[in-house]
Amino acid sequence: MEFDLEFALETVGPLLMAFLQVTLVVTVAGSVVAALLGLIWAVCQRELPTPVRLPLSWVLDVIRMTPLPLQLLFAVAIFISFDGYRKFPDTDVETIGMILGVAVFAIHYSTYMAESYRAGIDSIRQGQWEAATALSLPRSRVWRAVIIPQALRATLPSLGNWAIAMFKDTPFLLVILVPEMVAKAKQLGGASYQYTEVFTVAGLIFLAASYPTAVLMRKLEKKLVY
Amino acid sequence: MSDFFQAISDYSPYLWEGARVTLALSGGGAVVALVVAVVLGLCAISPVAVLRVGSRVIVEFFRGTSLVVQLFFLFYVFPLFGIDLPGMWCGIVGLGLNYGAYGSEVVRGSLNAVAKVQWESTTALSMSWPLAVRRVIWPQAWGLMLPGLNNLMVMLVKGTAVALLIGLHDLTYWVEVMRKDPEVGLWIAYGAGFLFYYLIALACSSGLRLLERRAQRRLGLAPSKTRTTRATAEAVA
């Protein structure tokens, strides 16, 4: 069994295509939504009264501690049970899969990001809260102008790291048949049993995208987190 | 609620079968991951440059390429070279190597977090490197690394659901089968699925938490907060 370099190079194009069209889109959209949701969960966990807060924390724990593939299948099953495919006959199956994927990835990783935000918020000294009270700032302004900007500084590298983790989890989309890069690789390789080449290329693309980003996050961490 | 228990008891042989696969993957994966994490973590702080560079390259490789890609390598590519692992072993080795690489970052970080004077005192006592690590550094780092390893353990349990992609019939598979049974339906099937995974992850996490408390007590430390999100986020990125 030898490595067919020519075939490997041929697959780079289609795999990069799938990477840009699916993997990257899902990662970017998923991370942005997850970062927003995570912030909402973190603020809710501080602001809401205990009877609401505890169930929320429990739900977030369950989401955090159960597998992504199960959640992806769950999302598709809900979609089917509401007859979704018939309600949107014009949208193709892949697009629906991607939208569901973004939603699941966003919700799943928002529970991790909420923990990061919480750590960031906890790291802010009590004096900042007291100063905000002394200025009698309204509560929403305390968050927007005092707490969140400072917390974000300590949280940003963590959020970036979770986004990279999400990126590497995108092949889970295979279970709901979204044609992301690894699915494409499997399909290309399966035609002639040349799996070595396709998975090597797919792995290298992952490495090439995630390693520099991870290094950047480590640099950012050194700069922002004291 | 009675429907829920009825469905679970009807499907109990299958759920049990699925749970066994999930538990075997979690347990086996955790053992491999721990060994990999400790070996690579120790290499990363060893005085031998070759070991340090070697472990760095291995760790970055396994962290950088996705778990699914690594698993497919084991499952689809290795047989082409005559190494035909059964699906279960692919899962255990794949999960173990991937989470082991993440874990080694936690191990390395904890070993580095032990105070510098501890290292200096081992030099003053002219301890050899292995002796210093075994008797002085490791026992102190152990308590520090457990929270991070705990988070990774929960992620590993969740990671076992990749079994689905290499044709293993784990919990997720049987939940999906239950869902297709019109007598069970979506909510009961997935309610059971989420519950079982949650309980498995919770059991693992609580067990490790006990170990952590014990380690901290032996070091005379106050119990830490369990959330070490930043370290975990760094390790998995």
Side-chain angles (χ1 to χ4, degrees):
Chain A
M1 190 73 214
E2 58 193 51
F3 193 85
D4 186 347
L5 190 64
E6 210 169 302
F7 177 66
L9 290 176
E10 263 172 42
T11 59
V12 172
L15 289 187
L16 268 179
M17 220 35 200
F19 175 79
L20 293 174
Q21 284 176 345
V22 183
T23 307
L24 213 56
V25 173
V26 171
T27 309
V28 171
S31 327
V32 170
V33 180
L36 289 174
L37 275 180
L39 182 59
I40 293 173
W41 305 144
V43 174
C44 281
Q45 280 180 324
R46 278 227 169 211
E47 290 292 316
L48 292 177
T50 315
V52 194
R53 190 168 48 90
L54 288 181
L56 176 70
S57 298
W58 188 74
V59 169
L60 294 181
D61 266 352
V62 171
I63 296 174
R64 190 174 33 233
M65 288 165 91
T66 48
L68 264 169
L70 188 75
Q71 294 171 2
L72 286 167
L73 289 169
F74 183 49
V76 171
I78 293 177
F79 192 71
I80 293 171
S81 83
F82 286 107
D83 226 5
Y85 288 109
R86 213 162 308 152
K87 277 182 193 146
F88 302 96
D90 300 331
T91 323
D92 55 298
V93 181
E94 283 92 18
T95 315
I96 291 175
M98 265 175 76
I99 294 169
L100 291 174
V102 168
V104 170
F105 276 107
I107 292 173
H108 188 91
Y109 273 94
S110 74
T111 62
Y112 279 105
M113 289 185 179
E115 288 298 311
S116 297
Y117 281 116
R118 194 159 82 166
I121 293 168
D122 285 347
S123 75
I124 290 168
R125 275 165 312 197
Q126 199 55 36
Q128 298 290 323
W129 293 96
E130 285 160 7
T133 312
L135 292 168
S136 70
L137 290 179
R139 197 68 179 167
S140 64
R141 192 97 196 272
V142 176
W143 280 109
R144 270 188 296 115
V146 182
I147 304 301
I148 291 175
Q150 297 186 74
L152 218 48
R153 194 185 157 92
T155 312
L156 215 51
S158 247
L159 298 185
N161 286 331
W162 287 125
I164 299 171
M166 181 196 290
F167 167 63
K168 288 183 290 187
D169 272 350
T170 50
F172 282 143
L173 287 170
L174 259 169
V175 301
I176 58 167
L177 309 177
V178 173
E180 53 71 59
M181 184 173 63
V182 178
K184 190 85 190 161
K186 197 165 156 242
Q187 181 202 337
L188 287 173
S192 52
Y193 284 99
Q194 287 177 298
Y195 286 119
T196 321
E197 291 81 2
V198 283
F199 289 137
T200 305
V201 172
L204 287 177
I205 294 178
F206 264 110
L207 195 62
S210 76
Y211 183 65
T213 327
V215 172
L216 190 75
M217 286 304 145
R218 271 171 245 170
K219 286 225 174 93
L220 197 67
E221 176 121 36
K222 281 216 180 91
K223 210 171 149 194
L224 291 184
V225 183
Y226 18 76
Chain B
M1 212 59 200
S2 66
D3 288 353
F4 182 77
F5 290 116
Q6 186 61 42
I8 287 186
S9 78
D10 286 351
Y11 273 87
S12 61
Y14 304 110
L15 286 172
W16 174 236
E17 185 56 36
R20 255 185 37 204
V21 172
T22 298
L23 287 172
L25 284 170
S26 312
V31 171
V32 177
L34 186 64
V35 173
V36 171
V38 171
V39 170
L40 288 177
L42 285 174
C43 284
I45 61 145
S46 86
V48 186
V50 180
L51 289 180
R52 280 203 307 273
V53 174
S55 100
R56 190 79 252 149
V57 171
I58 295 172
V59 169
E60 292 302 347
F61 175 79
F62 280 106
R63 278 180 359 147
T65 57
S66 166
L67 168 67
V68 178
V69 176
Q70 290 157 25
L71 202 67
F72 280 179
F73 239 92
L74 288 170
F75 191 70
Y76 289 107
V77 177
F78 273 37
L80 300 177
F81 293 91
I83 307 166
D84 210 344
L85 292 172
M88 193 59 151
W89 283 104
C90 282
I92 289 176
V93 173
L95 286 165
L97 288 175
N98 191 257
Y99 286 94
Y102 293 152
S104 81
E105 285 292 283
V106 172
V107 171
R108 184 179 64 98
S110 312
L111 288 168
N112 281 335
V114 174
K116 267 279 172 298
V117 278
Q118 299 289 332
W119 281 105
E120 287 160 4
S121 55
T122 63
T123 313
L125 294 168
S126 75
M127 283 182 168
S128 64
W129 190 84
L131 186 67
V133 168
R134 190 162 58 87
R135 301 301 296 268
V136 180
I137 308 300
W138 181 267
Q140 299 183 64
W142 177 241
L144 297 175
M145 71 181 72
L146 276 170
L149 295 184
N150 194 339
N151 285 347
L152 286 178
M153 182 67 213
V154 173
M155 295 181 121
L156 192 150
V157 171
K158 297 189 309 173
T160 59
V162 291
L164 214 59
L165 296 174
I166 53 171
L168 292 176
H169 293 175
D170 72 335
L171 256 179
T172 306
Y173 173 86
W174 288 112
V175 166
E176 187 60 13
V177 171
M178 264 173 93
R179 197 265 304 172
K180 285 175 186 148
D181 181 344
E183 283 190 14
V184 180
L186 166 68
W187 300 102
I188 289 178
Y190 276 89
F194 282 116
L195 184 68
F196 285 144
Y197 272 109
Y198 179 66
L199 291 178
I200 294 173
L202 199 64
C204 291
S205 167
S206 312
L208 284 173
R209 184 90 177 115
L210 281 179
L211 269 184
E212 182 192 325
R213 286 256 168 77
R214 181 165 157 268
Q216 282 164 341
R217 207 171 40 238
R218 289 172 70 178
L219 289 173
L221 297 171
S224 67
K225 280 195 230 162
T226 184
R227 316 284 186 195
T228 46
T229 332
R230 189 191 292 163
T232 315
E234 254 176 81
V236 296

